[in-house]
C-alpha cells in the first residue's frame, strides 16, 4: 500500500498584540486572541466541525444538561455542559460507547478566559449537531464491531480533562472549574437514559479526552454491575513527561499549573498522589499500572501533537530549526530523526510495565498522527494504518471481545507504508 501523506494546515502569524491565526491538523481555520504564544501551543488540538477522513452522514443532536447548574456542574463560563447521544439498534441496543472529546487544556486565568469564549469553554458556542464517524459510525462497513451500539460524545468544556473541582467562581474572571462535576452529572443522566441497563460498555476519549479516559476508567467501571463487561479505550492520550529540545520540562510545568489552578489533585488517583507530586499524576505513565479496568491504548510513537508541543514547542525552538520537521516528518534531518526515535523509545519504556498487563491492549504505530479512532480513514478503511495486517478497528474489536490478545508495536519510522502521515503547511 502506498504511503499516504495527509495534507493539513498549521498556519500562524503574529499580528499586533499576539493575535494568532492558525489551523489545526484537520484543516480548520480558527482565530483566537491569546496573551502569549505559550498559551496557544498548549491548546492547539481544538476540535473543528468537520475533518478530512470523516463521514458527514451521521449528524447527531446536542443535548444540554440545564438541570446540572443546580449541582454546579457547568462549563468554564457557567453554561450547561452537553453531549450527543445516538441510540443503538438491533443487537447493540444494550451496548454503550461513551466518548470524551479532546481539546487541550488551559493553565492560566487569562487563557481560560479566552477559552470560555469558544466551544471548549462554553456550550453557547457548541455546534447543535456533529458528525459521528470512525468508531462512532453506525455504518457496519466502517465500524464492524460497534456500529449498532448506543454512542455518546461528551463535549469538553472545562479545560482540565473533566477533573477540575473548585467550589467557588473565580471572581473578576467569571470562571468555573467544575470538570469533575460535569463528569458526574453526565454519567447520572446517561444512567437514567439506559446506561444503567448496559450489558457491555466502553469508555473512550481522544487527546485530552484520552487523558480523561485514563483518569476516569475505574470510575466508569464502578457505575455498572460487576456482571457487565466494561472496558476503556484511550486514543492519543498517553502524554509523556519528557524534556523538550532545549532541555526544559515545559509540559511538566504546564501540567503543574493546570492541576494547581483547577483543583485537580483531589480527583487524581490516591495511590499516585501519595508517592509523587499531584501534577505528576496527570501523566498516565505514573498511574496506568494501577488502573484495574481493562484498557486499550491507541497512540502513535511519533504523535504529532506531542512532537509539536512537548518535544519541540516554539519556546524551545526560537530559530525555527524544527519548523519544517514539525510540518512534515519527511523534512526532518538525520539529527532530528534521531531525537524522534529517542522520543519513541521513551514512550515504549513508559509503556513497558503495561505490556505485562493481562487484560490490557495496545496499538502503537509509527505514523505522524494524533487521535486515530474517530476518523473513518484511520479507524477502518482501505487506507487505514495497519499492524500485522490489522486496522485499529480490528485490533480493538479482537481485544474487546477477547478474540485474541492484542499488544501491537510498530517498527520505527518510516517502516510502515500504511501510515497516514499528517502534513502541515
Amino acid at each position: 500500500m502506498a504511503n499516504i501523506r495527509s495534507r493539513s494546515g498549521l498556519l500562524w502569524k503574529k499580528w499586533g498584540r499576539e493575535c494568532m491565526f492558525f489551523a489545526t491538523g484537520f484543516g480548520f481555520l480558527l482565530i483566537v486572541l491569546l496573551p502569549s504564544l505559550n498559551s496557544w501551543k498548549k491548546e492547539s488540538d481544538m476540535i473543528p466541525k468537520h475533518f478530512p477522513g470523516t463521514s458527514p452522514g451521521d449528524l447527531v443532536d446536542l443535548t444540554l444538561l440545564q438541570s446540572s447548574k443546580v449541582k454546579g456542574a457547568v462549563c468554564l463560563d457557567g453554561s450547561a455542559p452537553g453531549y450527543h447521544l445516538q441510540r443503538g439498534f438491533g443487537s447493540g441496543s444494550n451496548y454503550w460507547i461513551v466518548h470524551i472529546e479532546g481539546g487541550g487544556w488551559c493553565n492560566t486565568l487569562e487563557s481560560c478566559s479566552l477559552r470560555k469564549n469558544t466551544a471548549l469553554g462554553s456550550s453557547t458556542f457548541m455546534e447543535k449537531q456533529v458528525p459521528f464517524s470512525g468508531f462512532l459510525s453506525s455504518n457496519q462497513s466502517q465500524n464492524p464491531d460497534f456500529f449498532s451500539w448506543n454512542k455518546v460524545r461528551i463535549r469538553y468544556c472545562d479545560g482540565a480533562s473533566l477533573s477540575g473541582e473548585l467550589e467557588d467562581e473565580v471572581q473578576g474572571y467569571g470562571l468555573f472549574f467544575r470538570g469533575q462535576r460535569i463528569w458526574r452529572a453526565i454519567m447520572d443522566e446517561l444512567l437514567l437514559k439506559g446506561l444503567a441497563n448496559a450489558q457491555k460498555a466502553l469508555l473512550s476519549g481522544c487527546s485530552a479526552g484520552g487523558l480523561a479516559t485514563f483518569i476516569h476508567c475505574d470510575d466508569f467501571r464502578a457505575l455498572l454491575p460487576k456482571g457487565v463487561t466494561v472496558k476503556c479505550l484511550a486514543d492519543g492520550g498517553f502524554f509523556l513527561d519528557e524534556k523538550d529540545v532545549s532541555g526544559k520540562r515545559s509540559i511538566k510545568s504546564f501540567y503543574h499549573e493546570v492541576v494547581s489552578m483547577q483543583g485537580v489533585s483531589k480527583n487524581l488517583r490516591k495511590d499516585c498522589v501519595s508517592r509523587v507530586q499531584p501534577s505528576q499524576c496527570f501523566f498516565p505513565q505514573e498511574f496506568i499500572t494501577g488502573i484495574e479496568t481493562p484498557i486499550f491504548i491507541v497512540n502513535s510513537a511519533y504523535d504529532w501533537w506531542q512532537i509539536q508541543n512537548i518535544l519541540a514547542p516554539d519556546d524551545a525552538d526560537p530559530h525555527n530549526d524544527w519548523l519544517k520537521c514539525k510540518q512534515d516528518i519527511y523534512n526532518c534531518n538525520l539529527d532530528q530523526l534521531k531525537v524522534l526515535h529517542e522520543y519513541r523509545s521513551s514512550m515504549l519504556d513508559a509503556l513497558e510495565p503495561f505490556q505485562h498487563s493481562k487484560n490490557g491492549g495496545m496499538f502503537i504505530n509509527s505514523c505522524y498522527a494524533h487521535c486515530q479512532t474517530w476518523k473513518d480513514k484511520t479507524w477502518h478503511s482501505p487506507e487505514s494504518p495497519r499492524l500485522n495486517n490489522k486496522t485499529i478497528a480490528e485490533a480493538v474489536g479482537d481485544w474487546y471481545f477477547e478474540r485474541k490478545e492484542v499488544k501491537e508495536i510498530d517498527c520505527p519510522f518510516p517502516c510502515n507504508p500504511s501510515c497516514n502521515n499528517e502534513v502541515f503547511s
Side-chain angles (χ1 to χ4, degrees), residues 101-386:
E101 70 177 15
W105 310 269
C106 57
N107 64 321
T108 66
L109 294 175
E110 291 74 21
S111 63
C112 290
S113 294
L114 291 165
R115 188 182 179 97
K116 77 175 185 178
N117 293 314
T118 74
L120 292 170
S122 170
S123 58
T124 302
F125 301 96
M126 292 177 184
E127 308 93 314
K128 304 307 179 186
Q129 292 183 319
V130 297
F132 273 22
S133 55
F135 80 109
L136 294 179
S137 173
S138 59
N139 185 326
Q140 186 173 6
S141 66
Q142 297 170 349
N143 192 20
D145 281 310
F146 306 102
F147 70 97
S148 63
W149 288 34
N150 295 280
K151 306 178 194 77
V152 179
R153 174 177 163 183
I154 297 175
R155 301 306 297 264
Y156 176 44
C157 67
D158 74 296
S161 289
L162 294 182
S163 60
E165 190 166 13
L166 286 186
E167 182 68 30
D168 298 325
E169 175 185 355
V170 180
Q171 297 299 321
Y173 290 87
L175 288 170
F176 298 84
F177 297 135
R178 306 282 179 77
Q180 182 72 18
R181 296 191 192 186
I182 293 173
W183 161 259
R184 292 171 184 156
I186 292 180
M187 289 303 104
D188 287 346
E189 174 144 327
L190 293 179
L191 288 169
L192 293 174
K193 290 199 170 185
L195 178 61
N197 300 317
Q199 297 172 359
K200 297 182 186 296
L202 177 63
L203 176 68
S204 74
C206 151
S207 193
L211 174 56
T213 300
F214 284 116
I215 292 171
H216 290 296
C217 184
D218 283 342
D219 298 336
F220 187 67
R221 161 69 275 183
L223 294 173
L224 299 171
K226 290 184 178 180
V228 178
T229 300
V230 180
K231 300 185 180 185
C232 303
L233 167 62
D235 177 15
F238 197 78
F239 299 99
L240 293 185
D241 177 17
E242 285 292 308
K243 293 180 180 179
D244 61 34
V245 293
S246 72
K248 296 180 180 179
R249 291 191 179 274
S250 55
I251 187 64
K252 182 176 182 176
S253 298
F254 181 84
Y255 272 0
H256 177 74
E257 292 165 353
V258 174
V259 170
S260 299
M261 182 183 67
Q262 295 217 31
V264 172
S265 59
K266 68 185 73 173
N267 297 315
L268 299 175
R269 293 188 67 90
K270 302 298 184 288
D271 57 348
C272 184
V273 297
S274 65
R275 58 181 172 80
V276 297
Q277 188 178 42
S279 58
Q280 283 297 113
C281 300
F282 221 47
F283 291 103
Q285 66 198 76
E286 293 289 348
F287 63 87
I288 189 171
T289 56
I291 297 174
E292 298 179 359
T293 307
I295 190 166
F296 193 99
I297 300 172
V298 176
N299 227 102
S300 170
Y302 300 84
D303 184 309
W304 65 255
W305 194 95
Q306 295 199 42
I307 290 170
Q308 292 177 7
N309 295 280
I310 297 178
L311 180 62
D314 293 342
D315 287 352
D317 182 35
H319 302 297
N320 288 329
D321 295 329
W322 279 80
L323 179 57
K324 290 184 178 180
C325 176
K326 292 190 294 184
Q327 290 175 333
D328 184 344
I329 194 169
Y330 285 97
N331 289 336
C332 299
N333 60 40
L334 292 178
D335 289 339
Q336 290 169 333
L337 283 174
K338 181 181 178 182
V339 174
L340 297 186
H341 293 325
E342 290 171 351
Y343 195 84
R344 169 184 180 269
S345 296
S346 295
M347 180 171 289
L348 298 185
D349 288 345
L351 286 167
E352 199 277 334
F354 179 73
Q355 293 184 46
H356 303 293
S357 167
K358 179 181 178 181
N359 298 318
M362 64 173 68
F363 190 101
I364 310 298
N365 61 22
S366 293
C367 307
Y368 196 50
H370 178 66
C371 285
Q372 302 176 79
T373 60
W374 50 265
K375 291 188 287 186
D376 297 333
K377 188 175 182 179
T378 48
W379 173 245
H380 187 68
S381 78
E383 297 179 342
S384 293
R386 285 169 165 75

Side-chain angles (χ1 to χ4, degrees), residues 70-102:
V70 177
K71 303 176 182 179
V74 293
C75 298
L76 285 173
D77 71 333
S79 61
Y83 64 90
H84 304 259
L85 167 62
Q86 185 180 61
R87 289 291 183 180
F89 56 91
S91 61
S93 297
N94 291 318
Y95 302 163
W96 286 72
I97 286 176
V98 178
H99 175 71
I100 306 168
E101 70 177 15

Side-chain angles (χ1 to χ4, degrees), residues 54-71:
T54 65
S55 169
D58 293 338
L59 291 174
V60 183
D61 292 336
L62 173 67
T63 298
L64 296 180
L65 276 73
Q66 298 294 353
S67 61
S68 68
K69 290 185 177 182
V70 177
K71 303 176 182 179

